[in-house]
Amino acid sequence: MAVKDRVDSAIANNKVIIFSKSWCPYCRRAKSIMNENYKETPIEIIELDEDPEGAQIQSYLTELTGQSTVPNIFINKKHVGGSDDLAGLHRVGGIQKLLL
């Protein structure tokens, strides 16, 4: 239950949260999009490969979102998907709208 509470709390208490793996190129792309274009927005990143509960967190995220891959991204408590989803939102100004 602690992992579920931790994830739910992280989603609820952060404007942007990216569940990531440090070695993943898609995760690097998502973090780069956010860091380069939304510098004023605080971003929480949980590197699942560096977290002792990473496997359990990823398992719970799969239950929660239906997405088993990383990055797994939430903006203002809304699941936006992965790297391609984030890039698509960025192209059409959707990230800015979600941040309001």
Side-chain angles (χ1 to χ4, degrees), residues 9-71:
S9 176
I11 293 167
N13 296 316
N14 290 286
K15 194 154 202 79
V16 176
I17 183 152
I18 300 175
F19 295 92
S20 172
K21 291 191 177 173
S22 61
W23 52 263
C24 169
Y26 300 102
C27 298
R28 280 197 292 268
R29 177 180 177 219
K31 291 181 278 191
S32 176
I33 288 169
M34 292 306 298
N35 288 327
E36 291 173 15
N37 300 287
Y38 305 93
K39 291 180 170 103
E40 264 111 78
T41 303
I43 301 166
E44 178 70 18
I45 297 168
I46 296 178
E47 298 290 0
L48 300 179
D49 59 322
E50 297 173 356
D51 190 294
E53 297 178 317
Q56 296 97 316
I57 291 171
Q58 190 163 5
S59 178
Y60 175 61
L61 286 168
T62 301
E63 276 180 49
L64 185 65
T65 66
Q67 175 184 323
S68 60
T69 57
V70 291

